[in-house]
Amino acid sequence: MHYRLGLPWGMLAKRGLAVARVNADTVDERNARIESADVLVFQSPASEMMLRYAEAKRESGSSQVLVVEHDDNPYAISPFNPSYVKFGTEDVFLEDDGTGTARFLWRDGESGFDIKRNDRLLRRFESIMGLADLVTTTTKPLAAVFAERGARAVAVLPNCIDLNVWKPISIPHDGIRMGWQGGFSHYEDLMVLKDVLPDLPDGVVPVVSGWTPPVLASLCGGRLESHGWVHIEAHPYKQAMLALDFAVIPLVDNEFNACKSAIKWVEYSALGVPVVASNVGPYAAEIVDGETGLLVPNEPAAWKDAISRMTKDGGLRKRLGENARADVARRFDVNARAEEWLLAYQSVMEANREPITALA
């Protein structure tokens, strides 16, 4: 919500180009806002109520613009992602022990996993998307997925950040601080480094923010500093205060990740923190290897070599960090790109009004 709506809408509101609101607390206020909105944005819609609303809008010939905003590929959720319980449509088992009995990771009817329910949810999402005037999303690969599924029009609006807030700071510290951030949905990605972390160079301190799986401490041999999530408004300052020398972004090469954005690289780069990232998907598309970061194949030897280079070469870290921040300032600063949201909405409006009233 913050990157996709709150941040760009806030910029548009400051410039007098939009009256942007998130849904109200009371039913009466919500209904009044819905009726008066020029643009109504459904974020990741899949409910029966949203489908009925979209159908009614189409039947009435209303001029209100209906937008679907979604930033992940719901058709390619990894079984190792907890969201598979909501979107998965097949049983998944890990192995056969030789007796013909499978050890299931996901089994229909168990642990809240319901294939028929998930099928219905995906069909509703697809129906709403087909009825909407516009689908907004983060990347070209994801836009292609939605276009193939029947979206009328798709606009790619990249995840941006406020460079007035994300600023590098210098904090004296000992050792070399290596950062990683992510939630439990990134367990599979983090395990790319399972054979790398036990052999970190001397003096490297892994600094984790977000979710810390129990296995991570043992993999790092006790060299681990862990930080929990903070409120989204405090996130830029928290990341800056971690005083990272470089960061790692491992990513499994799969269909789901191919559609993701490079937001972690954008955040780190805004702070001047150089990055080592998997040479797949969004990072391969945005990072210039050796100029705005290091791209590596998902092989332990390659990762160890890249981490060693970052650890030993302060000049490399400085150059990559400075180049990456300049690149992000050019391409991902919301101060320069917020009006793309307005233009996307206006492209499907009957009249290009300013300001518009947008509601999510």
Side-chain angles (χ1 to χ4, degrees), residues 12 18 110 122 126 193 223 225 321 333:
L12 292 175
E110 297 181 0
L122 287 171
E126 198 163 307
L193 302 183
R223 288 187 288 170
E225 183 178 310
D333 186 359

Side-chain angles (χ1 to χ4, degrees), residues 273-295:
V273 176
V275 159
V276 181
S278 293
N279 189 18
V280 301
Y283 299 106
E286 302 297 350
I287 295 173
V288 179
D289 185 35
E291 293 296 326
T292 57
L294 296 183
L295 292 170

Side-chain angles (χ1 to χ4, degrees), residues 231-264:
H231 190 277
I232 189 64
E233 299 291 347
H235 180 53
Y237 307 102
K238 176 66 175 182
Q239 290 299 310
M241 293 298 291
L242 293 178
L244 301 178
D245 293 287
F246 70 98
V248 293
I249 311 178
L251 200 68
V252 172
D253 190 6
N254 59 32
E255 185 180 355
F256 180 76
N257 285 341
C259 293
K260 293 188 74 66
S261 79
I263 186 60
K264 290 183 182 179

